């Protein structure tokens, strides 16, 4: 499977995905628990609470906006958390990219 790392899925959208499978139009994001406010693991820091809470809130809003923008353009967006086991995540990516590549080839 051909992919690019840490690139914009589309040049006019100023957002970068961790993995981009252009032919299949699949964008993969691996979210850090702190930076993206993981519902399981995020806890606000003890210092600069206001700053960090606002930062994480803006990150989450941007994440939603990015998913909506890409989906409207026909992309399949996959989001994983840093704490998720790599094997099932990678198996899901391979399955979805392979299926989309098959459909595109028909």
């Amino acid at each position: 499977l051909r992919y690019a790392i840490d690139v914009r899925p589309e040049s006019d959208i100023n957002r970068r995905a961790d993995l981009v499978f252009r032919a299949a139009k699949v964008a993969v994001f691996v979210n850090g628990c702190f930076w993206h406010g993981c519902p399981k693991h995020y806890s606000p820091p003890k210092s600069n609470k206001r700053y960090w809470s606002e930062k994480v809130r803006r990150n989450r809003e941007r994440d939603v906006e990015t998913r909506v923008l890409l989906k409207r353009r026909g992309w399949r967006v996959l989001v994983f958390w840093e704490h998720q086991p790599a094997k099932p995540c990678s198996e899901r990516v391979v399955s979805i990219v392979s299926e989309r590549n098959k459909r595109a080839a028909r």
Side-chain angles (χ1 to χ4, degrees), residues 1 22-26 71 74-78 92-106:
L1 302 175
R22 290 197 194 285
K25 289 187 88 167
V26 174
K71 287 178 182 181
W75 285 80
R76 176 70 186 268
V77 178
L78 302 175
R92 184 163 179 231
V93 170
V94 168
S95 174
I96 290 169
V97 170
S98 297
E99 181 57 37
R100 287 180 70 105
N101 280 339
K102 285 178 194 171
R103 279 193 242 151
R106 290 182 201 158

Side-chain angles (χ1 to χ4, degrees), residues 9-70:
E10 298 213 0
S11 61
D12 64 328
I13 298 176
N14 190 18
R15 305 289 165 60
R16 301 171 81 86
D18 295 297
L19 296 170
V20 173
F21 298 84
R22 290 197 194 285
K25 289 187 88 167
V26 174
V28 179
F29 296 86
V30 181
N31 289 347
C33 291
F34 176 78
W35 300 106
H36 297 269
C38 172
K40 282 187 175 182
H41 300 113
Y42 176 75
S43 59
K46 303 213 185 305
S47 62
N48 277 341
K49 287 182 185 182
R50 188 173 182 185
Y51 171 82
W52 287 112
S53 295
E54 181 64 19
K55 171 74 172 155
V56 170
R57 185 191 64 74
R58 286 190 319 266
N59 286 349
R60 292 177 64 117
E61 285 177 357
R62 188 187 65 240
D63 293 344
V64 170
E65 182 181 287
T66 300
R67 287 192 301 269
V68 169
L69 283 168
L70 291 173

